[in-house]
Amino acid sequence: MTSSARLRPLTGSPLELYDLLRRWWHDPDGPVVVRTSGSTGEPKDVVLPAAAVRASAVAAQRRLDGPGRWLLALPPTYVAGLGVLARSVLADHPPVLVDGSLADAATAMTRAATSPCYTALVPTQLHRLATAGRLSSLRGFTAVLVGGAALRPDLAEQAAAAGVRLVATYGASETCGGCVYDGVPLDGVGVRPGVDGRVHLAGPVLFERYAGRPDLTARVLREGWFATDDRGLIDDDGRLRVLGRLDDVVVSGGVNVSLPAVSAALRGVPGVFDAAAVAVPDAEWGQRVVAVVVGAVELATVRETLSLPRAWLPRALVRVDAMPQLATGKVDRVALQTLAERA
């Protein structure tokens, strides 16, 4: 495989890819192709032009505290890892790699850094650090970007109490990763919710197409706007609030049920360490809510504890040792669905 081919799709070790991107940055011979994680179904190959990758890195650097060192704590072949590598190339600083535990690597890096230092994580990594009582290891970072999934308010509060500066990012592989920071679009990025609440994104960070899938490309990319699968609104402060995926609201017994709201409530049940609500087809109810939880709790206890409308309460419960995850650190929604259907 030639060097250029390893960028389509991305493949290789972090430092190999950093070196490839550094050469490609100054003399691109084509786009970069990122394979999506497939957290909601079939993975897709997202074609990202050089101009989009550059625009994303430049806009992120401008929004943060300027060029600095980056700790790479995510797989380099997915878009979040690509973002770290691209910003490292822009700053002309090789990424620092995690050798051992994330907390130890973070502490060592921030102690040694003489310039701004950053990292990018997914909420699962923050959750693990919080559970281990090691959130303070992130205190020395100028900023910690958090994306890939919704950031729980309680986790954000714990991080703030530990003196960690979090920046909640929103985006997709199709936008070179996060393009909205703390609800505010990066320079040049456009955001608009549609009439159905669907979030649309535009700007120089957009992908070109899905490789080999003109049908999918035409479905989501129209007149310079990318139609996401997320619901959102612009609040009174002019910030984007992402409310969840369009398919996160299901109908059970004729009642609209918000699965993210049920998931959040489940995490507050004593004895539950993590949880997610999933809906499965049901002959009587149309859709039946199933709770997938980490913790030794019973369904009856959960139903008695939750202060939710009766139609929102889980009708089945699956206990797992840990939430299923993809290589990116995201929760594997397909695996969750399979577990729920088996229940």
Side-chain angles (χ1 to χ4, degrees):
M1 181 180 291
T2 66
S3 295
S4 296
R6 296 177 71 177
L7 298 178
R8 294 182 281 276
L10 288 174
T11 179
S13 70
L15 293 182
E16 287 173 341
L17 284 175
Y18 171 77
D19 187 56
L20 285 173
L21 284 171
R22 187 174 55 177
R23 285 179 273 152
W24 172 87
W25 189 273
H26 300 291
D27 185 23
D29 59 352
V32 166
V33 175
V34 174
R35 184 156 290 164
T36 65
S37 60
S39 60
T40 59
E42 179 185 359
K44 300 179 286 291
D45 286 341
V46 181
V47 179
L48 300 174
V53 177
R54 288 199 195 103
S56 174
V58 169
Q61 183 170 281
R62 286 176 178 168
R63 181 60 58 86
L64 299 172
D65 290 30
R69 299 295 299 270
W70 283 83
L71 176 70
L72 177 62
L74 294 168
T77 54
Y78 290 107
V79 76
L82 170 64
V84 170
L85 293 178
R87 293 186 288 269
S88 296
V89 170
L90 179 63
D92 198 24
H93 288 305
V96 177
L97 306 182
V98 173
D99 183 14
S101 78
L102 172 58
D104 291 341
T107 300
M109 176 185 170
T110 54
R111 283 178 178 170
T114 57
S115 60
C117 54
Y118 311 100
T119 192
L121 306 176
V122 294
T124 298
Q125 291 169 302
L126 274 184
H127 172 78
R128 289 173 177 171
L129 288 173
T131 301
R134 304 200 68 182
L135 272 177
S136 60
S137 64
L138 304 177
R139 187 182 298 151
F141 284 100
T142 309
V144 177
L145 307 188
V146 184
L151 175 61
R152 299 193 332 250
D154 64 308
L155 197 51
E157 291 170 2
Q158 291 180 58
V164 181
R165 178 193 171 192
L166 297 185
V167 177
T169 70
Y170 170 73
S173 297
E174 292 85 347
T175 61
C176 294
C179 61
V180 179
Y181 284 15
D182 287 333
V184 180
L186 296 179
D187 293 348
V189 173
V191 176
R192 71 178 188 196
V195 292
D196 58 351
R198 184 187 298 269
V199 176
H200 292 73
L201 301 170
V205 299
L206 279 192
F207 78 125
E208 177 184 300
R209 58 188 168 83
Y210 295 121
R213 295 301 305 268
D215 55 329
L216 290 181
T217 305
R219 187 183 306 167
V220 301
L221 193 58
R222 297 182 180 179
E223 299 180 348
W225 287 89
F226 166 56
T228 73
D229 288 326
D230 299 313
R231 294 181 300 113
L233 55 81
I234 305 299
D235 66 19
D236 294 338
D237 295 325
R239 295 175 183 266
L240 173 67
R241 284 182 53 205
V242 179
L243 305 176
R245 291 179 54 84
L246 288 166
D247 58 4
D248 276 342
V249 175
V250 299
V251 180
S252 182
V255 177
N256 288 344
V257 179
S258 169
L259 295 178
V262 178
S263 298
L266 284 167
R267 297 186 190 105
V269 173
V272 172
F273 300 100
D274 201 0
V278 183
V280 299
D282 185 271
E284 179 179 2
W285 298 96
Q287 294 281 300
R288 173 165 43 100
V289 179
V290 178
V292 181
V293 303
V294 178
V297 293
E298 300 295 333
L299 177 62
T301 301
V302 168
R303 288 176 58 87
E304 291 169 2
T305 304
L306 292 178
S307 298
L308 294 172
R310 184 173 180 81
W312 290 32
L313 297 177
R315 300 182 183 278
L317 183 143
V318 180
R319 284 188 292 271
V320 295
D321 294 330
M323 301 300 284
Q325 293 178 8
L326 299 164
T328 57
K330 291 183 181 181
V331 172
D332 188 337
R333 293 166 61 95
V334 174
L336 280 180
Q337 190 71 35
T338 300
L339 287 169
E341 290 173 357
R342 287 175 180 170

